Amino acid sequence: MRIYKPGCDVGELIPWPFDNPASNYVIRRGAPKTSGRIDQGGPGHSTRVGIWHCTAGAFDCTEQGDELMSILSGRCRITDLGTGETMELATGDSLFIRDGSRVTWDVIEDVTKVFFGQKPGGY
């Protein structure tokens, strides 16, 4: 059993560089660094659950899979580039993003999130 809640130690994370061609990352501000861990599912599976951390900065990406996320720490703004809608998220907030959405992540304070993702056909 894993407990994901604000203030809890999420454990060890490994570097997740901005190198997935399908995500088409574009760094917009600063030099954000990401790390994470898949706790269940992942490559070859249609679902995945894990932790993701990102330092301050901004980048565009194409989301890979439908994802429900909850912010465990930090603060960010996510803008859907297709609709122009912007959501500001902080500790305790949750958001659902659809597979294929092109978004800007503006990480104001280092963010740690827990996520559940689903992608028919697998990741």
Tab-separated table of all heavy atoms in Angstrom, residues 75-109:
chain	number	residue	atom	x	y	z
A	75	ARG	N	3.401	24.755	-6.625
A	75	ARG	CA	2.416	25.592	-7.293
A	75	ARG	C	2.776	25.705	-8.764
A	75	ARG	O	3.945	25.884	-9.124
A	75	ARG	CB	2.412	26.978	-6.649
A	75	ARG	CG	1.174	27.782	-6.887
A	75	ARG	CD	1.086	28.941	-5.900
A	75	ARG	NE	2.210	29.851	-6.030
A	75	ARG	CZ	2.164	31.001	-6.696
A	75	ARG	NH1	1.059	31.401	-7.285
A	75	ARG	NH2	3.230	31.765	-6.757
A	76	CYS	N	1.761	25.606	-9.630
A	76	CYS	CA	1.990	25.709	-11.075
A	76	CYS	C	0.741	26.239	-11.764
A	76	CYS	O	-0.340	26.283	-11.185
A	76	CYS	CB	2.381	24.356	-11.656
A	76	CYS	SG	1.092	23.104	-11.569
A	77	ARG	N	0.936	26.648	-13.012
A	77	ARG	CA	-0.151	27.027	-13.905
A	77	ARG	C	-0.064	26.111	-15.111
A	77	ARG	O	1.020	25.961	-15.688
A	77	ARG	CB	0.027	28.469	-14.377
A	77	ARG	CG	-0.897	29.432	-13.739
A	77	ARG	CD	-0.733	30.836	-14.321
A	77	ARG	NE	-0.359	31.707	-13.223
A	77	ARG	CZ	0.848	32.179	-12.974
A	77	ARG	NH1	1.854	31.913	-13.758
A	77	ARG	NH2	1.071	32.933	-11.931
A	78	ILE	N	-1.189	25.539	-15.478
A	78	ILE	CA	-1.232	24.697	-16.681
A	78	ILE	C	-2.204	25.347	-17.650
A	78	ILE	O	-3.351	25.627	-17.296
A	78	ILE	CB	-1.666	23.257	-16.354
A	78	ILE	CG1	-0.679	22.625	-15.371
A	78	ILE	CG2	-1.770	22.435	-17.645
A	78	ILE	CD1	-1.062	21.244	-14.893
A	79	THR	N	-1.720	25.595	-18.869
A	79	THR	CA	-2.553	26.203	-19.906
A	79	THR	C	-2.752	25.206	-21.023
A	79	THR	O	-1.783	24.658	-21.563
A	79	THR	CB	-1.898	27.479	-20.466
A	79	THR	OG1	-1.706	28.403	-19.390
A	79	THR	CG2	-2.753	28.112	-21.547
A	80	ASP	N	-4.018	24.944	-21.375
A	80	ASP	CA	-4.354	24.104	-22.520
A	80	ASP	C	-4.210	24.987	-23.753
A	80	ASP	O	-4.958	25.950	-23.924
A	80	ASP	CB	-5.781	23.582	-22.373
A	80	ASP	CG	-6.188	22.666	-23.507
A	80	ASP	OD1	-5.874	22.959	-24.682
A	80	ASP	OD2	-6.846	21.647	-23.212
A	81	LEU	N	-3.241	24.689	-24.601
A	81	LEU	CA	-2.966	25.540	-25.758
A	81	LEU	C	-4.043	25.438	-26.829
A	81	LEU	O	-4.154	26.322	-27.673
A	81	LEU	CB	-1.585	25.217	-26.327
A	81	LEU	CG	-0.433	25.528	-25.362
A	81	LEU	CD1	0.899	25.063	-25.944
A	81	LEU	CD2	-0.392	26.998	-25.007
A	82	GLY	N	-4.860	24.380	-26.782
A	82	GLY	CA	-5.966	24.242	-27.727
A	82	GLY	C	-7.149	25.133	-27.389
A	82	GLY	O	-7.798	25.677	-28.282
A	83	THR	N	-7.415	25.311	-26.096
A	83	THR	CA	-8.585	26.094	-25.668
A	83	THR	C	-8.210	27.440	-25.059
A	83	THR	O	-9.062	28.312	-24.932
A	83	THR	CB	-9.392	25.317	-24.608
A	83	THR	OG1	-8.597	25.196	-23.419
A	83	THR	CG2	-9.818	23.947	-25.117
A	84	GLY	N	-6.956	27.576	-24.633
A	84	GLY	CA	-6.521	28.795	-23.952
A	84	GLY	C	-6.859	28.810	-22.470
A	84	GLY	O	-6.493	29.742	-21.761
A	85	GLU	N	-7.548	27.792	-21.990
A	85	GLU	CA	-7.923	27.726	-20.573
A	85	GLU	C	-6.686	27.524	-19.704
A	85	GLU	O	-5.834	26.695	-20.004
A	85	GLU	CB	-8.905	26.589	-20.344
A	85	GLU	CG	-9.393	26.497	-18.915
A	85	GLU	CD	-10.397	25.382	-18.708
A	85	GLU	OE1	-10.571	24.527	-19.592
A	85	GLU	OE2	-11.005	25.359	-17.622
A	86	THR	N	-6.593	28.295	-18.615
A	86	THR	CA	-5.486	28.189	-17.672
A	86	THR	C	-6.029	27.843	-16.295
A	86	THR	O	-7.022	28.419	-15.848
A	86	THR	CB	-4.703	29.512	-17.587
A	86	THR	OG1	-4.127	29.784	-18.871
A	86	THR	CG2	-3.592	29.446	-16.549
A	87	MET	N	-5.361	26.884	-15.650
A	87	MET	CA	-5.715	26.483	-14.285
A	87	MET	C	-4.488	26.684	-13.413
A	87	MET	O	-3.390	26.260	-13.787
A	87	MET	CB	-6.103	25.001	-14.243
A	87	MET	CG	-7.319	24.632	-15.060
A	87	MET	SD	-8.853	25.327	-14.434
A	87	MET	CE	-8.943	24.577	-12.843
A	88	GLU	N	-4.674	27.340	-12.273
A	88	GLU	CA	-3.589	27.451	-11.304
A	88	GLU	C	-3.809	26.372	-10.257
A	88	GLU	O	-4.910	26.227	-9.723
A	88	GLU	CB	-3.531	28.830	-10.660
A	88	GLU	CG	-2.317	28.945	-9.773
A	88	GLU	CD	-1.845	30.366	-9.539
A	88	GLU	OE1	-2.089	31.235	-10.393
A	88	GLU	OE2	-1.207	30.581	-8.493
A	89	LEU	N	-2.769	25.594	-9.991
A	89	LEU	CA	-2.847	24.478	-9.058
A	89	LEU	C	-1.852	24.665	-7.927
A	89	LEU	O	-0.739	25.145	-8.156
A	89	LEU	CB	-2.542	23.160	-9.763
A	89	LEU	CG	-3.416	22.803	-10.962
A	89	LEU	CD1	-2.858	21.584	-11.673
A	89	LEU	CD2	-4.839	22.571	-10.527
A	90	ALA	N	-2.262	24.253	-6.724
A	90	ALA	CA	-1.396	24.295	-5.548
A	90	ALA	C	-1.643	23.014	-4.746
A	90	ALA	O	-2.507	22.199	-5.100
A	90	ALA	CB	-1.696	25.532	-4.712
A	91	THR	N	-0.897	22.859	-3.683
A	91	THR	CA	-0.995	21.676	-2.842
A	91	THR	C	-2.455	21.334	-2.550
A	91	THR	O	-3.226	22.187	-2.139
A	91	THR	CB	-0.233	21.911	-1.518
A	91	THR	OG1	1.126	22.198	-1.832
A	91	THR	CG2	-0.297	20.695	-0.618
A	92	GLY	N	-2.813	20.075	-2.824
A	92	GLY	CA	-4.165	19.579	-2.578
A	92	GLY	C	-5.104	19.659	-3.763
A	92	GLY	O	-6.170	19.045	-3.750
A	93	ASP	N	-4.735	20.399	-4.817
A	93	ASP	CA	-5.595	20.526	-5.999
A	93	ASP	C	-5.410	19.332	-6.928
A	93	ASP	O	-4.345	18.727	-6.982
A	93	ASP	CB	-5.273	21.808	-6.776
A	93	ASP	CG	-5.656	23.070	-6.026
A	93	ASP	OD1	-6.535	22.993	-5.148
A	93	ASP	OD2	-5.062	24.125	-6.320
A	94	SER	N	-6.477	19.031	-7.676
A	94	SER	CA	-6.449	17.939	-8.657
A	94	SER	C	-6.900	18.465	-10.006
A	94	SER	O	-7.650	19.436	-10.092
A	94	SER	CB	-7.368	16.791	-8.222
A	94	SER	OG	-6.930	16.241	-6.998
A	95	LEU	N	-6.452	17.787	-11.067
A	95	LEU	CA	-6.796	18.184	-12.427
A	95	LEU	C	-6.808	16.949	-13.319
A	95	LEU	O	-5.989	16.039	-13.132
A	95	LEU	CB	-5.766	19.194	-12.968
A	95	LEU	CG	-5.963	19.693	-14.403
A	95	LEU	CD1	-7.203	20.582	-14.495
A	95	LEU	CD2	-4.731	20.453	-14.877
A	96	PHE	N	-7.716	16.936	-14.288
A	96	PHE	CA	-7.769	15.888	-15.305
A	96	PHE	C	-7.362	16.498	-16.637
A	96	PHE	O	-7.877	17.558	-17.014
A	96	PHE	CB	-9.184	15.308	-15.405
A	96	PHE	CG	-9.325	14.272	-16.481
A	96	PHE	CD1	-8.850	12.981	-16.280
A	96	PHE	CD2	-9.915	14.587	-17.686
A	96	PHE	CE1	-8.969	12.019	-17.277
A	96	PHE	CE2	-10.038	13.630	-18.688
A	96	PHE	CZ	-9.569	12.345	-18.477
A	97	ILE	N	-6.434	15.848	-17.333
A	97	ILE	CA	-5.987	16.286	-18.661
A	97	ILE	C	-6.194	15.133	-19.634
A	97	ILE	O	-5.879	13.979	-19.322
A	97	ILE	CB	-4.504	16.703	-18.660
A	97	ILE	CG1	-4.266	17.896	-17.754
A	97	ILE	CG2	-4.033	17.020	-20.075
A	97	ILE	CD1	-2.812	18.355	-17.700
A	98	ARG	N	-6.681	15.440	-20.821
A	98	ARG	CA	-6.937	14.431	-21.856
A	98	ARG	C	-5.680	14.093	-22.661
A	98	ARG	O	-4.821	14.951	-22.899
A	98	ARG	CB	-7.994	14.927	-22.832
A	98	ARG	CG	-9.348	15.011	-22.212
A	98	ARG	CD	-10.304	14.129	-22.993
A	98	ARG	NE	-11.579	14.084	-22.332
A	98	ARG	CZ	-12.086	12.995	-21.782
A	98	ARG	NH1	-11.432	11.870	-21.820
A	98	ARG	NH2	-13.259	13.032	-21.200
A	99	ASP	N	-5.618	12.857	-23.090
A	99	ASP	CA	-4.564	12.361	-23.970
A	99	ASP	C	-4.454	13.268	-25.201
A	99	ASP	O	-5.465	13.636	-25.796
A	99	ASP	CB	-4.910	10.934	-24.395
A	99	ASP	CG	-3.857	10.281	-25.275
A	99	ASP	OD1	-2.676	10.671	-25.202
A	99	ASP	OD2	-4.218	9.363	-26.038
A	100	GLY	N	-3.240	13.636	-25.558
A	100	GLY	CA	-3.001	14.433	-26.753
A	100	GLY	C	-3.118	15.931	-26.561
A	100	GLY	O	-2.853	16.693	-27.494
A	101	SER	N	-3.512	16.381	-25.369
A	101	SER	CA	-3.622	17.822	-25.123
A	101	SER	C	-2.235	18.459	-25.183
A	101	SER	O	-1.283	17.959	-24.600
A	101	SER	CB	-4.222	18.099	-23.741
A	101	SER	OG	-5.536	17.633	-23.652
A	102	ARG	N	-2.137	19.561	-25.887
A	102	ARG	CA	-0.903	20.342	-25.921
A	102	ARG	C	-1.035	21.397	-24.828
A	102	ARG	O	-1.982	22.199	-24.843
A	102	ARG	CB	-0.711	20.981	-27.295
A	102	ARG	CG	0.602	21.703	-27.465
A	102	ARG	CD	1.732	20.738	-27.689
A	102	ARG	NE	2.993	21.471	-27.834
A	102	ARG	CZ	4.161	20.926	-27.679
A	102	ARG	NH1	4.277	19.642	-27.393
A	102	ARG	NH2	5.264	21.630	-27.808
A	103	VAL	N	-0.120	21.381	-23.868
A	103	VAL	CA	-0.229	22.256	-22.703
A	103	VAL	C	1.095	22.952	-22.408
A	103	VAL	O	2.159	22.489	-22.819
A	103	VAL	CB	-0.685	21.480	-21.443
A	103	VAL	CG1	-2.061	20.859	-21.655
A	103	VAL	CG2	0.324	20.432	-21.039
A	104	THR	N	0.989	24.057	-21.690
A	104	THR	CA	2.156	24.720	-21.107
A	104	THR	C	2.102	24.489	-19.611
A	104	THR	O	1.079	24.758	-18.970
A	104	THR	CB	2.158	26.227	-21.391
A	104	THR	OG1	2.250	26.444	-22.796
A	104	THR	CG2	3.337	26.920	-20.702
A	105	TRP	N	3.187	23.948	-19.081
A	105	TRP	CA	3.386	23.841	-17.633
A	105	TRP	C	4.245	25.024	-17.221
A	105	TRP	O	5.375	25.154	-17.702
A	105	TRP	CB	4.136	22.560	-17.296
A	105	TRP	CG	3.314	21.328	-17.237
A	105	TRP	CD1	2.928	20.539	-18.290
A	105	TRP	CD2	2.799	20.710	-16.063
A	105	TRP	NE1	2.204	19.479	-17.827
A	105	TRP	CE2	2.112	19.553	-16.459
A	105	TRP	CE3	2.858	21.038	-14.712
A	105	TRP	CZ2	1.485	18.717	-15.552
A	105	TRP	CZ3	2.237	20.192	-13.808
A	105	TRP	CH2	1.550	19.048	-14.230
A	106	ASP	N	3.724	25.889	-16.347
A	106	ASP	CA	4.503	26.981	-15.774
A	106	ASP	C	4.645	26.645	-14.286
A	106	ASP	O	3.722	26.858	-13.493
A	106	ASP	CB	3.789	28.311	-15.979
A	106	ASP	CG	4.599	29.492	-15.485
A	106	ASP	OD1	5.723	29.298	-14.962
A	106	ASP	OD2	4.103	30.624	-15.609
A	107	VAL	N	5.788	26.071	-13.927
A	107	VAL	CA	6.037	25.635	-12.561
A	107	VAL	C	6.598	26.822	-11.788
A	107	VAL	O	7.735	27.235	-12.003
A	107	VAL	CB	6.984	24.416	-12.531
A	107	VAL	CG1	7.268	23.990	-11.103
A	107	VAL	CG2	6.395	23.266	-13.344
A	108	ILE	N	5.773	27.375	-10.900
A	108	ILE	CA	6.110	28.573	-10.143
A	108	ILE	C	6.965	28.208	-8.925
A	108	ILE	O	7.940	28.880	-8.616
A	108	ILE	CB	4.817	29.300	-9.716
A	108	ILE	CG1	4.016	29.665	-10.972
A	108	ILE	CG2	5.122	30.529	-8.862
A	108	ILE	CD1	2.555	29.933	-10.719
A	109	GLU	N	6.558	27.158	-8.219
A	109	GLU	CA	7.307	26.584	-7.093
A	109	GLU	C	7.433	25.098	-7.382
A	109	GLU	O	6.452	24.475	-7.813
A	109	GLU	CB	6.553	26.770	-5.770
A	109	GLU	CG	6.336	28.203	-5.374
A	109	GLU	CD	5.379	28.317	-4.185
A	109	GLU	OE1	4.904	27.289	-3.670
A	109	GLU	OE2	5.101	29.459	-3.795
